[in-house]
Amino acid sequence: MKVLVTDPIADAGLGRLREAGHEVVTDYDVEGDALLEAVSDANALVVRSGTEVNEAVFEAAPNLVIVGRAGIGVDNIDIDAATDHGVVVANAPEGNVRAASEHTVAMAFAAARSIPQAHARLKGGEWAKGDYLGTELNGKTLGIVGLGRVGQEVAKRLDGLGMDLVAYDPYISQERADRLGAELVEFEDCLERADFLTVHTPLTPETEDLISTEELELMGDGYLVNCARGGVVDEDALAAAVEDGTLDGAAIDVFADEPVSPDNPLLSVEDVVVTPHLGASTSAAQENVATSIADQIDAAFNEEPVMNA
Ligand code: NAD
Ligand code: MLT
């Protein structure tokens, strides 16, 4: 069977597919018509967040059995089109959760202590000690929007650092929040009470631009961290809110359009810390998700149950 891989995944996953006897073709720069050509004889397609798997891709791939997403978010895959074409979509919902939650904590600290800004100035030869007066996380309130796998791991870590937890998630039980020591509250309440607000929802029609000017004004001050999906936070509104001092700062790992364009408004605001979608970029996480997807593809080829379809 031919497996086309269009976003980089760990060698462990590629090796596992080859060991199972499949032909593995990696083509990480392919897009547009070249993607349609490359996928035309593929039996499986493996992506991360970089490849847009739309209706045209399914149309062009009559032999496709499964699309494997080596990670969590499937917002770059047209699930309805996959269903119409009888193609299974599988993701790896567990393997990068720890990595994403650790990155979220790192981003909260980076914003609260201006670490990237101070680092850049010191590397440039400037001893700017007097210019930075940070904020402690201890004793502050963490607002969590979306208390799923990543949100829960963030809650545990920041609870351990002495933060008070409030959470907004209309789809979880009070018991789940109680177990984490988080108070489950309404959305506005979560925004108003948070000193740090961290977003951990999927990108869906319901969550698109969930946080925009009005919501940032409700926060009043404090920091926003987004290591979930770019489209959940309105980038123009966030850039303006940090620029005009409505918010103290923000830390952003994900963008509405990736790779991000140099004129994205968030890149030019001093108190917005940014990383290029690195939440899942640890060797352990990448190995986990790549081998999980390899196993699921092999299962699909063997007409066995696909665990995370
Ligand atoms: P999950 O499905 O386990 O949890 C998502 C939670 O969001 C659920 O509890 C759900 O009830 C909640 N939710 C859905 N709609 C909501 C709404 N309108 N308001 C509030 N809550 C809502 O997902 P996860 O594994 O925790 O992943 C969370 C996000 O992080 C996803 O967008 C995922 O793609 C992203 N992610 C990013 C990286 C990265 O590299 N930056 C890595 C891993 C995951
Ligand atoms: C995910 O949803 O798992 C993230 O986008 C991680 C990634 O693949 O970079």
Side-chain angles (χ1 to χ4, degrees), residues 47-232:
V47 301
R48 283 183 64 189
S49 57
T51 304
E52 192 67 34
V53 188
N54 55 25
E55 168 77 36
V57 172
F58 291 105
E59 281 288 332
N63 303 324
L64 202 59
V65 174
I66 178 167
V67 175
R69 163 62 163 106
I72 296 171
V74 289
D75 44 286
N76 54 321
I77 301 169
D78 185 336
I79 304 288
D80 291 339
T83 307
D84 290 347
H85 287 82
V87 177
V88 174
V89 175
N91 72 346
E94 312 278 354
N96 65 27
V97 167
R98 266 192 307 274
S101 61
E102 287 190 7
H103 195 67
T104 303
V105 173
M107 292 294 268
F109 275 122
R113 304 301 290 269
S114 304
I115 293 170
Q117 296 91 332
H119 169 92
R121 286 178 70 183
L122 186 51
K123 289 272 181 165
E126 245 189 297
W127 187 257
K129 182 173 163 83
D131 286 356
Y132 297 105
L133 191 62
T135 303
E136 290 171 22
L137 271 58
N138 181 60
K140 302 292 190 312
T141 297
L142 176 71
I144 307 169
V145 179
L147 202 56
R149 291 184 181 88
V150 178
Q152 290 180 58
E153 290 303 312
V154 170
K156 288 181 204 162
R157 283 158 178 75
L158 289 176
D159 182 41
L161 289 169
M163 297 193 83
D164 298 324
L165 310 182
V166 296
Y168 168 68
D169 188 327
Y171 304 109
I172 65 152
S173 64
Q174 183 66 53
E175 289 71 42
R176 187 194 291 183
D178 287 347
R179 272 201 306 276
L180 293 158
E183 188 182 342
L184 207 50
V185 296
E186 292 302 321
F187 187 41
E188 285 73 20
D189 203 13
C190 188
L191 297 169
E192 280 171 358
R193 288 170 65 181
D195 300 304
F196 287 77
L197 189 82
T198 185
V199 178
H200 299 288
T201 67
L203 177 62
T204 64
E206 185 197 5
T207 63
E208 191 166 2
D209 287 339
L210 182 67
I211 298 182
S212 190
T213 306
E214 203 181 311
E215 290 73 27
L216 296 167
E217 278 167 6
L218 276 178
M219 273 185 74
D221 51 18
Y223 297 83
L224 182 127
V225 181
N226 185 6
C227 293
R229 277 293 176 275
V232 179

